[in-house]
Amino acid sequence: QLTLVESGGGLVQPGGSLRLSCAASGFTTNYPAIGWFRQAPGKEREQVSCIDRSDGTSSYAVPVKDRFSISRDNAKNLVFLQMNSLKPEDTGVYYCAAARSYFSSCILGGDMDYWGKGTLVIVSS
């Protein structure tokens, strides 16, 4: 069993920054892959970034590459998503999710095993 809790969302102006946090508790070592996903109003959920906590390997969706950065603090079971140069189209609910396999879930798009409840990010002037 794994529990994920996101925090750090809020309202920010275009061009601003936010840092999201994902706190994991439970059998965290069994689920090394942590992904950040987002869902904008009226749109499907999409993967934003993903990290393999065992070695730091990471990936990014094209729209956020060079603006977002994913990192982890394994000692505290935290994964962060630093979001810079935010745009209105980054608005949405951001979820973190965990999986057993970084390659299967993050790269091949397989299912994630556990999900948090999300944190809302609004980019607006």
Side-chain angles (χ1 to χ4, degrees):
Q1 186 74 16
L2 193 70
T3 301
L4 302 168
V5 179
E6 305 92 338
S7 61
L11 174 63
V12 63
Q13 292 187 341
S17 298
L18 280 176
R19 189 175 82 153
L20 305 183
S21 299
C22 174
S25 60
F27 294 101
T28 56
T29 55
N30 293 342
Y31 301 90
I34 298 291
W36 282 99
F37 296 76
R38 68 185 180 190
Q39 187 165 19
K43 294 187 177 181
E44 293 187 356
R45 188 168 58 196
E46 61 177 352
Q47 184 184 119
V48 173
S49 182
C50 207
I51 190 167
D52 186 333
R53 294 184 295 151
S54 63
D55 63 6
T57 301
S58 60
S59 59
Y60 298 90
V62 171
V64 307
K65 199 171 183 180
D66 299 328
R67 298 189 297 124
F68 290 11
S69 177
I70 193 169
S71 61
R72 87 282 196 204
D73 181 339
N74 287 345
K76 296 181 180 179
N77 287 324
L78 292 170
V79 172
F80 306 101
L81 185 68
Q82 178 67 43
M83 306 187 295
N84 299 326
S85 303
L86 283 161
K87 305 175 181 180
E89 51 264 43
D90 294 319
T91 293
V93 179
Y94 282 69
Y95 302 90
C96 68
R100 291 183 178 272
S101 169
Y102 172 82
F103 183 74
S104 296
S105 295
C106 295
I107 303 302
L108 298 184
D111 291 340
M112 304 297 284
D113 296 297
Y114 291 94
W115 291 85
K117 294 184 178 181
T119 186
L120 178 62
V121 172
I122 300 174
V123 184
S124 175
S125 55

